[in-house]
Amino acid sequence: MEVVKNGKTYEVTETTQKWSIKNKLGIMAISYDVSKKDCATIEELQQYVDETDILN
């Protein structure tokens, strides 16, 4: 799965308790975890990403 912000695509991995959002920058990777209590669906996660500074 993926989410998009500011023209950049981020890989999303789903587990039972959280979403992991990852972005590879060459040999370096950045990862953010978002609880499923905050965002139960991928649509809610995309809205959360759009409305916050999490991936700026």
Side-chain angles (χ1 to χ4, degrees):
M1 289 180 270
E2 299 174 336
V3 294
V4 178
K5 183 163 186 177
N6 299 330
K8 294 181 183 175
T9 302
Y10 300 88
E11 181 183 333
V12 175
T13 305
E14 178 182 11
T15 66
T16 57
Q17 306 236 342
K18 66 182 179 180
W19 300 97
S20 292
I21 305 168
K22 296 181 183 176
N23 184 24
K24 284 190 173 183
L25 303 169
I27 61 171
M28 195 168 121
I30 298 171
S31 178
Y32 299 94
D33 291 336
V34 179
S35 171
K36 285 230 173 155
K37 291 179 183 177
D38 297 326
C39 301
T41 66
I42 189 71
E43 291 81 11
E44 289 177 4
L45 179 64
Q46 179 66 62
Q47 183 177 358
Y48 175 78
V49 167
D50 290 342
E51 294 174 353
T52 63
D53 292 334
I54 187 173
L55 299 174
N56 281 337

PDB file of all heavy atoms in Angstrom, residues 16-40:
ATOM      1  N   THR A  16      -1.427  -5.483  12.830  1.00  0.00           N
ATOM      2  CA  THR A  16      -2.684  -5.457  13.577  1.00  0.00           C
ATOM      3  C   THR A  16      -2.802  -4.229  14.469  1.00  0.00           C
ATOM      4  O   THR A  16      -3.904  -3.797  14.772  1.00  0.00           O
ATOM      5  CB  THR A  16      -2.842  -6.716  14.448  1.00  0.00           C
ATOM      6  OG1 THR A  16      -1.728  -6.817  15.318  1.00  0.00           O
ATOM      7  CG2 THR A  16      -2.956  -7.954  13.581  1.00  0.00           C
ATOM      8  N   GLN A  17      -1.669  -3.638  14.871  1.00  0.00           N
ATOM      9  CA  GLN A  17      -1.696  -2.541  15.824  1.00  0.00           C
ATOM     10  C   GLN A  17      -1.287  -1.182  15.256  1.00  0.00           C
ATOM     11  O   GLN A  17      -1.556  -0.150  15.869  1.00  0.00           O
ATOM     12  CB  GLN A  17      -0.766  -2.873  16.988  1.00  0.00           C
ATOM     13  CG  GLN A  17      -1.091  -4.208  17.600  1.00  0.00           C
ATOM     14  CD  GLN A  17      -1.372  -4.102  19.069  1.00  0.00           C
ATOM     15  OE1 GLN A  17      -1.021  -3.127  19.689  1.00  0.00           O
ATOM     16  NE2 GLN A  17      -2.013  -5.105  19.612  1.00  0.00           N
ATOM     17  N   LYS A  18      -0.614  -1.186  14.081  1.00  0.00           N
ATOM     18  CA  LYS A  18      -0.100   0.096  13.580  1.00  0.00           C
ATOM     19  C   LYS A  18       0.101   0.067  12.070  1.00  0.00           C
ATOM     20  O   LYS A  18       0.070  -0.971  11.426  1.00  0.00           O
ATOM     21  CB  LYS A  18       1.224   0.435  14.250  1.00  0.00           C
ATOM     22  CG  LYS A  18       2.344  -0.520  13.886  1.00  0.00           C
ATOM     23  CD  LYS A  18       3.622  -0.174  14.599  1.00  0.00           C
ATOM     24  CE  LYS A  18       4.707  -1.183  14.223  1.00  0.00           C
ATOM     25  NZ  LYS A  18       5.960  -0.877  14.882  1.00  0.00           N
ATOM     26  N   TRP A  19       0.317   1.274  11.546  1.00  0.00           N
ATOM     27  CA  TRP A  19       0.734   1.485  10.161  1.00  0.00           C
ATOM     28  C   TRP A  19       2.193   1.932  10.213  1.00  0.00           C
ATOM     29  O   TRP A  19       2.543   2.772  11.033  1.00  0.00           O
ATOM     30  CB  TRP A  19      -0.072   2.600   9.506  1.00  0.00           C
ATOM     31  CG  TRP A  19      -1.549   2.365   9.456  1.00  0.00           C
ATOM     32  CD1 TRP A  19      -2.467   2.843  10.343  1.00  0.00           C
ATOM     33  CD2 TRP A  19      -2.278   1.634   8.480  1.00  0.00           C
ATOM     34  NE1 TRP A  19      -3.720   2.449   9.963  1.00  0.00           N
ATOM     35  CE2 TRP A  19      -3.630   1.702   8.820  1.00  0.00           C
ATOM     36  CE3 TRP A  19      -1.910   0.922   7.340  1.00  0.00           C
ATOM     37  CZ2 TRP A  19      -4.629   1.087   8.073  1.00  0.00           C
ATOM     38  CZ3 TRP A  19      -2.899   0.311   6.589  1.00  0.00           C
ATOM     39  CH2 TRP A  19      -4.232   0.392   6.949  1.00  0.00           C
ATOM     40  N   SER A  20       3.024   1.413   9.344  1.00  0.00           N
ATOM     41  CA  SER A  20       4.407   1.879   9.220  1.00  0.00           C
ATOM     42  C   SER A  20       4.549   2.545   7.866  1.00  0.00           C
ATOM     43  O   SER A  20       4.269   1.937   6.832  1.00  0.00           O
ATOM     44  CB  SER A  20       5.395   0.721   9.337  1.00  0.00           C
ATOM     45  OG  SER A  20       5.390   0.209  10.645  1.00  0.00           O
ATOM     46  N   ILE A  21       4.960   3.809   7.879  1.00  0.00           N
ATOM     47  CA  ILE A  21       5.143   4.585   6.661  1.00  0.00           C
ATOM     48  C   ILE A  21       6.642   4.733   6.447  1.00  0.00           C
ATOM     49  O   ILE A  21       7.347   5.226   7.326  1.00  0.00           O
ATOM     50  CB  ILE A  21       4.489   5.974   6.789  1.00  0.00           C
ATOM     51  CG1 ILE A  21       3.015   5.830   7.170  1.00  0.00           C
ATOM     52  CG2 ILE A  21       4.647   6.757   5.492  1.00  0.00           C
ATOM     53  CD1 ILE A  21       2.382   7.135   7.597  1.00  0.00           C
ATOM     54  N   LYS A  22       7.137   4.299   5.274  1.00  0.00           N
ATOM     55  CA  LYS A  22       8.579   4.315   5.027  1.00  0.00           C
ATOM     56  C   LYS A  22       8.907   5.065   3.753  1.00  0.00           C
ATOM     57  O   LYS A  22       8.164   5.056   2.789  1.00  0.00           O
ATOM     58  CB  LYS A  22       9.114   2.892   4.912  1.00  0.00           C
ATOM     59  CG  LYS A  22       8.986   2.103   6.185  1.00  0.00           C
ATOM     60  CD  LYS A  22       9.548   0.725   6.042  1.00  0.00           C
ATOM     61  CE  LYS A  22       9.336  -0.063   7.321  1.00  0.00           C
ATOM     62  NZ  LYS A  22       9.782  -1.423   7.211  1.00  0.00           N
ATOM     63  N   ASN A  23      10.085   5.693   3.786  1.00  0.00           N
ATOM     64  CA  ASN A  23      10.613   6.388   2.625  1.00  0.00           C
ATOM     65  C   ASN A  23      12.109   6.127   2.574  1.00  0.00           C
ATOM     66  O   ASN A  23      12.817   6.380   3.544  1.00  0.00           O
ATOM     67  CB  ASN A  23      10.339   7.885   2.706  1.00  0.00           C
ATOM     68  CG  ASN A  23      10.782   8.624   1.475  1.00  0.00           C
ATOM     69  OD1 ASN A  23      10.893   8.050   0.397  1.00  0.00           O
ATOM     70  ND2 ASN A  23      11.051   9.894   1.615  1.00  0.00           N
ATOM     71  N   LYS A  24      12.582   5.597   1.473  1.00  0.00           N
ATOM     72  CA  LYS A  24      14.011   5.375   1.302  1.00  0.00           C
ATOM     73  C   LYS A  24      14.641   6.572   0.617  1.00  0.00           C
ATOM     74  O   LYS A  24      14.134   7.075  -0.374  1.00  0.00           O
ATOM     75  CB  LYS A  24      14.271   4.122   0.468  1.00  0.00           C
ATOM     76  CG  LYS A  24      14.075   2.854   1.220  1.00  0.00           C
ATOM     77  CD  LYS A  24      14.580   1.685   0.412  1.00  0.00           C
ATOM     78  CE  LYS A  24      14.540   0.427   1.240  1.00  0.00           C
ATOM     79  NZ  LYS A  24      15.088  -0.703   0.502  1.00  0.00           N
ATOM     80  N   LEU A  25      15.730   7.033   1.187  1.00  0.00           N
ATOM     81  CA  LEU A  25      16.499   8.141   0.618  1.00  0.00           C
ATOM     82  C   LEU A  25      17.913   7.633   0.369  1.00  0.00           C
ATOM     83  O   LEU A  25      18.781   7.781   1.216  1.00  0.00           O
ATOM     84  CB  LEU A  25      16.514   9.326   1.596  1.00  0.00           C
ATOM     85  CG  LEU A  25      15.163   9.869   2.022  1.00  0.00           C
ATOM     86  CD1 LEU A  25      15.306  10.840   3.181  1.00  0.00           C
ATOM     87  CD2 LEU A  25      14.480  10.531   0.853  1.00  0.00           C
ATOM     88  N   GLY A  26      18.118   7.002  -0.770  1.00  0.00           N
ATOM     89  CA  GLY A  26      19.418   6.395  -1.049  1.00  0.00           C
ATOM     90  C   GLY A  26      19.646   5.222  -0.118  1.00  0.00           C
ATOM     91  O   GLY A  26      18.851   4.304  -0.070  1.00  0.00           O
ATOM     92  N   ILE A  27      20.705   5.280   0.664  1.00  0.00           N
ATOM     93  CA  ILE A  27      20.991   4.190   1.593  1.00  0.00           C
ATOM     94  C   ILE A  27      20.309   4.392   2.947  1.00  0.00           C
ATOM     95  O   ILE A  27      20.350   3.529   3.811  1.00  0.00           O
ATOM     96  CB  ILE A  27      22.517   4.012   1.803  1.00  0.00           C
ATOM     97  CG1 ILE A  27      23.122   5.286   2.385  1.00  0.00           C
ATOM     98  CG2 ILE A  27      23.193   3.608   0.523  1.00  0.00           C
ATOM     99  CD1 ILE A  27      24.569   5.135   2.820  1.00  0.00           C
ATOM    100  N   MET A  28      19.669   5.545   3.120  1.00  0.00           N
ATOM    101  CA  MET A  28      19.009   5.871   4.376  1.00  0.00           C
ATOM    102  C   MET A  28      17.500   5.696   4.237  1.00  0.00           C
ATOM    103  O   MET A  28      16.933   5.951   3.179  1.00  0.00           O
ATOM    104  CB  MET A  28      19.312   7.324   4.732  1.00  0.00           C
ATOM    105  CG  MET A  28      19.004   7.702   6.122  1.00  0.00           C
ATOM    106  SD  MET A  28      19.755   9.316   6.421  1.00  0.00           S
ATOM    107  CE  MET A  28      18.318  10.226   6.834  1.00  0.00           C
ATOM    108  N   ALA A  29      16.847   5.252   5.305  1.00  0.00           N
ATOM    109  CA  ALA A  29      15.398   5.103   5.294  1.00  0.00           C
ATOM    110  C   ALA A  29      14.802   5.825   6.495  1.00  0.00           C
ATOM    111  O   ALA A  29      15.392   5.860   7.573  1.00  0.00           O
ATOM    112  CB  ALA A  29      15.009   3.638   5.331  1.00  0.00           C
ATOM    113  N   ILE A  30      13.628   6.403   6.273  1.00  0.00           N
ATOM    114  CA  ILE A  30      12.894   7.080   7.342  1.00  0.00           C
ATOM    115  C   ILE A  30      11.593   6.316   7.537  1.00  0.00           C
ATOM    116  O   ILE A  30      10.925   5.957   6.570  1.00  0.00           O
ATOM    117  CB  ILE A  30      12.602   8.543   6.973  1.00  0.00           C
ATOM    118  CG1 ILE A  30      13.911   9.309   6.796  1.00  0.00           C
ATOM    119  CG2 ILE A  30      11.725   9.198   8.018  1.00  0.00           C
ATOM    120  CD1 ILE A  30      13.740  10.687   6.229  1.00  0.00           C
ATOM    121  N   SER A  31      11.227   6.074   8.785  1.00  0.00           N
ATOM    122  CA  SER A  31      10.015   5.328   9.079  1.00  0.00           C
ATOM    123  C   SER A  31       9.208   6.031  10.165  1.00  0.00           C
ATOM    124  O   SER A  31       9.772   6.521  11.137  1.00  0.00           O
ATOM    125  CB  SER A  31      10.384   3.913   9.541  1.00  0.00           C
ATOM    126  OG  SER A  31       9.231   3.189   9.882  1.00  0.00           O
ATOM    127  N   TYR A  32       7.889   6.071   9.963  1.00  0.00           N
ATOM    128  CA  TYR A  32       6.968   6.634  10.937  1.00  0.00           C
ATOM    129  C   TYR A  32       5.930   5.570  11.258  1.00  0.00           C
ATOM    130  O   TYR A  32       5.450   4.879  10.361  1.00  0.00           O
ATOM    131  CB  TYR A  32       6.239   7.855  10.376  1.00  0.00           C
ATOM    132  CG  TYR A  32       7.142   8.985   9.987  1.00  0.00           C
ATOM    133  CD1 TYR A  32       7.602   9.115   8.680  1.00  0.00           C
ATOM    134  CD2 TYR A  32       7.534   9.929  10.921  1.00  0.00           C
ATOM    135  CE1 TYR A  32       8.438  10.151   8.319  1.00  0.00           C
ATOM    136  CE2 TYR A  32       8.367  10.978  10.563  1.00  0.00           C
ATOM    137  CZ  TYR A  32       8.813  11.071   9.260  1.00  0.00           C
ATOM    138  OH  TYR A  32       9.641  12.099   8.904  1.00  0.00           O
ATOM    139  N   ASP A  33       5.572   5.433  12.518  1.00  0.00           N
ATOM    140  CA  ASP A  33       4.526   4.510  12.933  1.00  0.00           C
ATOM    141  C   ASP A  33       3.318   5.305  13.396  1.00  0.00           C
ATOM    142  O   ASP A  33       3.457   6.280  14.131  1.00  0.00           O
ATOM    143  CB  ASP A  33       5.003   3.602  14.065  1.00  0.00           C
ATOM    144  CG  ASP A  33       6.066   2.611  13.618  1.00  0.00           C
ATOM    145  OD1 ASP A  33       6.118   2.297  12.412  1.00  0.00           O
ATOM    146  OD2 ASP A  33       6.839   2.151  14.458  1.00  0.00           O
ATOM    147  N   VAL A  34       2.137   4.866  12.950  1.00  0.00           N
ATOM    148  CA  VAL A  34       0.880   5.498  13.344  1.00  0.00           C
ATOM    149  C   VAL A  34      -0.024   4.399  13.885  1.00  0.00           C
ATOM    150  O   VAL A  34      -0.260   3.394  13.211  1.00  0.00           O
ATOM    151  CB  VAL A  34       0.208   6.209  12.149  1.00  0.00           C
ATOM    152  CG1 VAL A  34      -1.117   6.830  12.570  1.00  0.00           C
ATOM    153  CG2 VAL A  34       1.135   7.260  11.548  1.00  0.00           C
ATOM    154  N   SER A  35      -0.527   4.602  15.088  1.00  0.00           N
ATOM    155  CA  SER A  35      -1.383   3.613  15.741  1.00  0.00           C
ATOM    156  C   SER A  35      -2.692   3.431  14.984  1.00  0.00           C
ATOM    157  O   SER A  35      -3.261   4.390  14.463  1.00  0.00           O
ATOM    158  CB  SER A  35      -1.677   4.064  17.169  1.00  0.00           C
ATOM    159  OG  SER A  35      -2.653   3.234  17.757  1.00  0.00           O
ATOM    160  N   LYS A  36      -3.173   2.208  14.966  1.00  0.00           N
ATOM    161  CA  LYS A  36      -4.481   1.946  14.365  1.00  0.00           C
ATOM    162  C   LYS A  36      -5.606   2.520  15.208  1.00  0.00           C
ATOM    163  O   LYS A  36      -6.717   2.662  14.735  1.00  0.00           O
ATOM    164  CB  LYS A  36      -4.667   0.444  14.169  1.00  0.00           C
ATOM    165  CG  LYS A  36      -3.866  -0.087  13.003  1.00  0.00           C
ATOM    166  CD  LYS A  36      -4.782  -0.895  12.175  1.00  0.00           C
ATOM    167  CE  LYS A  36      -4.142  -1.322  10.904  1.00  0.00           C
ATOM    168  NZ  LYS A  36      -4.779  -2.523  10.426  1.00  0.00           N
ATOM    169  N   LYS A  37      -5.314   2.865  16.459  1.00  0.00           N
ATOM    170  CA  LYS A  37      -6.317   3.545  17.282  1.00  0.00           C
ATOM    171  C   LYS A  37      -6.593   4.936  16.719  1.00  0.00           C
ATOM    172  O   LYS A  37      -7.698   5.443  16.830  1.00  0.00           O
ATOM    173  CB  LYS A  37      -5.843   3.656  18.727  1.00  0.00           C
ATOM    174  CG  LYS A  37      -5.794   2.340  19.445  1.00  0.00           C
ATOM    175  CD  LYS A  37      -5.290   2.510  20.861  1.00  0.00           C
ATOM    176  CE  LYS A  37      -5.164   1.169  21.549  1.00  0.00           C
ATOM    177  NZ  LYS A  37      -4.618   1.301  22.909  1.00  0.00           N
ATOM    178  N   ASP A  38      -5.579   5.550  16.113  1.00  0.00           N
ATOM    179  CA  ASP A  38      -5.724   6.875  15.506  1.00  0.00           C
ATOM    180  C   ASP A  38      -6.280   6.806  14.093  1.00  0.00           C
ATOM    181  O   ASP A  38      -7.013   7.699  13.661  1.00  0.00           O
ATOM    182  CB  ASP A  38      -4.385   7.605  15.488  1.00  0.00           C
ATOM    183  CG  ASP A  38      -3.852   7.869  16.879  1.00  0.00           C
ATOM    184  OD1 ASP A  38      -4.666   8.114  17.793  1.00  0.00           O
ATOM    185  OD2 ASP A  38      -2.622   7.831  17.059  1.00  0.00           O
ATOM    186  N   CYS A  39      -5.892   5.775  13.350  1.00  0.00           N
ATOM    187  CA  CYS A  39      -6.299   5.622  11.946  1.00  0.00           C
ATOM    188  C   CYS A  39      -6.609   4.154  11.693  1.00  0.00           C
ATOM    189  O   CYS A  39      -5.700   3.342  11.518  1.00  0.00           O
ATOM    190  CB  CYS A  39      -5.186   6.069  11.011  1.00  0.00           C
ATOM    191  SG  CYS A  39      -4.672   7.770  11.233  1.00  0.00           S
ATOM    192  N   ALA A  40      -7.875   3.815  11.650  1.00  0.00           N
ATOM    193  CA  ALA A  40      -8.264   2.414  11.500  1.00  0.00           C
ATOM    194  C   ALA A  40      -8.148   1.906  10.056  1.00  0.00           C
ATOM    195  O   ALA A  40      -7.919   0.723   9.832  1.00  0.00           O
ATOM    196  CB  ALA A  40      -9.689   2.206  11.997  1.00  0.00           C
TER     197      ALA A  40
END
